[in-house]
Amino acid sequence: MTFYRTTRMMLCSAAILSFASSAFALDGNDLLKKINDVYGQQGGSIAATSIDVDDSTVTLKGATFKAPGMDDSIPLGDITLDGVEENNGGYTIEEIDFADVDFSKDGASVSATDLKLNGVEIPADTTKGDLSSLLYYKSAHAGAVSVTKDDTEVFSIEGADATMNKRDDKSGLDFDAKINGIKADLSKVDDQKTKDAIEALKLQQLYGTVSMKGSWEIAPGTINISEYSFDFKDIGKLNLAFSISGYTPAFAKSMQEALKTVRSNPNQQEAQQSAGLALLGLLQQLTFNSAQIRFDDASITARALDFAGKQQGVTGKQLADTLKAMTPIMMAQLNVPDLQNAGSAAVNSYLDNPKNLTVTAAPGKPVPVPMIIGAAMGAPQTIPQVIGLTVSSNN
C-alpha cells in the first residue's frame, strides 16, 4: 500500500514539474514581437520561418530583415539567442550570434563573419521614454566584411567593435565604436576624368579606421560626440565633434513617426513637404551647444594643391599663394573683422606648412537651433557671432 502511495506521489510530482516547466518556458514569438517593437519604430522588421526554444536558447530559423524603404528582405540565416531570460515583460539575452552573411544582388556581393551582440536588453515597453524603453547591448562585434562587384573586391573591413555602458544613476549612457582595417579599391573607377584625379592624388587604395565616442543624457536629451573620426593612411584624419540638447526619446519618436508618414504616403512630393514642416517644428526643441571640425594632414594637401594647380597651369605653390591672397577677400564678406583676421592667419599658416586646421563653434551659452536658422535666413553675416565661430591651424 505504501508502495502505491509513493508511486502516485512521484507521478503527481512529475506532472506538476512538467506543468511548471511548460508554464515558465520562454515564449519565442513574444520575444520576436518585442524585438520588432523596437525595430518597428524605425520602419524595420525581422521575420523568421520558425522559432525554436530549447531551455534558455531561442533560435530564429531562416530569419530575414527588412529595412525601411526596401522592397526586398535581406536573408540573415539562423539567429541564435543564448541565455535568454524574461525580465518584467521584457528580455535579457547573454549573447546573440548571427549566421555568416553571404548576400548577392545585381552583380554585387556582401559577406560578413563573426557577427554577435552581448549583454542585450529588450524593453517590455518602448513608449516609456526612459532608458528602460530602449534596446541596449553591452558590446557588439563584427569580423571580416567584404563587398565585391563583378568578382572584384571593392571594399572590406578587418573588423568592428562597439560598446555601450549605462550610468549607475540611469541618467544616460556612454558609447564608443571603431571600424578597423577599412580598405577601398578605387582603381577600377570607369570614368576617365575621375580615374585621372584618383591617380594624381594617389587614392587608388584607401586604408584606415573610423572611430566614434560619445554620450547621451536622457532627460535633457544632450548628445555629446567627442570623436567621430576618419583616419586614412597618407591622407589625414578628419574629426567631427558636436554637442546638442533636446534629443530626448520623445523627440526621437516624433522623428520616427514623421519618417513613417513619409514612407507610407504614395504621394512622395506631398509627404516630403509635410515632413519638412514637421521637421521645422521639431527643430524648435533642439539647442546647439558646440561643434568642432579638425583635419590633421598626412600629405593629401600638397597633392591636392599640385593637382588643382596643374588644372590651372600653375604649380601647387603658386595656387597656395593665390588662395592665401583670396582668403581675406572672401572672409570680408562675413563682415566679422576678428574672424576675418584670425581665419586668414590660420589659412596662411596651414597652406605654408600643412599640419592641422580647426574650425570651432563655441557660443558663450547654448543657442536654440531656430535662432541659428533665423540668422541664416535673415542675416547670414551674423552667424559667426551667434555660434562663436573661430578658425585656427597648426596647434
Side-chain angles (χ1 to χ4, degrees), residues 45 47 54 81 102 118 142 155 162 184-185 227 231 233 240 286 313 345 362 366 380:
S45 63
D54 182 9
L81 302 85
D102 191 1
N118 293 96
F155 176 83
D185 184 356
E227 179 184 7
D231 190 357
K233 182 180 179 182
L240 311 175
L286 297 181

Side-chain angles (χ1 to χ4, degrees), residues 186-200 204:
L186 304 182
S187 64
K188 307 300 181 183
V189 172
D190 295 327
D191 181 73
Q192 189 58 49
K193 190 174 182 179
T194 305
K195 190 180 184 74
D196 292 341
I198 290 172
E199 290 178 353
Q204 298 96 325

Side-chain angles (χ1 to χ4, degrees), residues 259-270:
L259 291 173
K260 279 184 183 180
T261 301
V262 172
R263 288 191 292 265
S264 62
N265 192 334
N267 187 333
Q268 282 298 293
Q269 184 175 357
E270 178 185 285

Side-chain angles (χ1 to χ4, degrees), residues 288-302:
F288 174 80
N289 300 322
S290 64
Q292 185 181 90
I293 302 174
R294 177 185 172 106
F295 179 70
D296 289 89
D297 182 68
S299 77
I300 188 64
T301 301

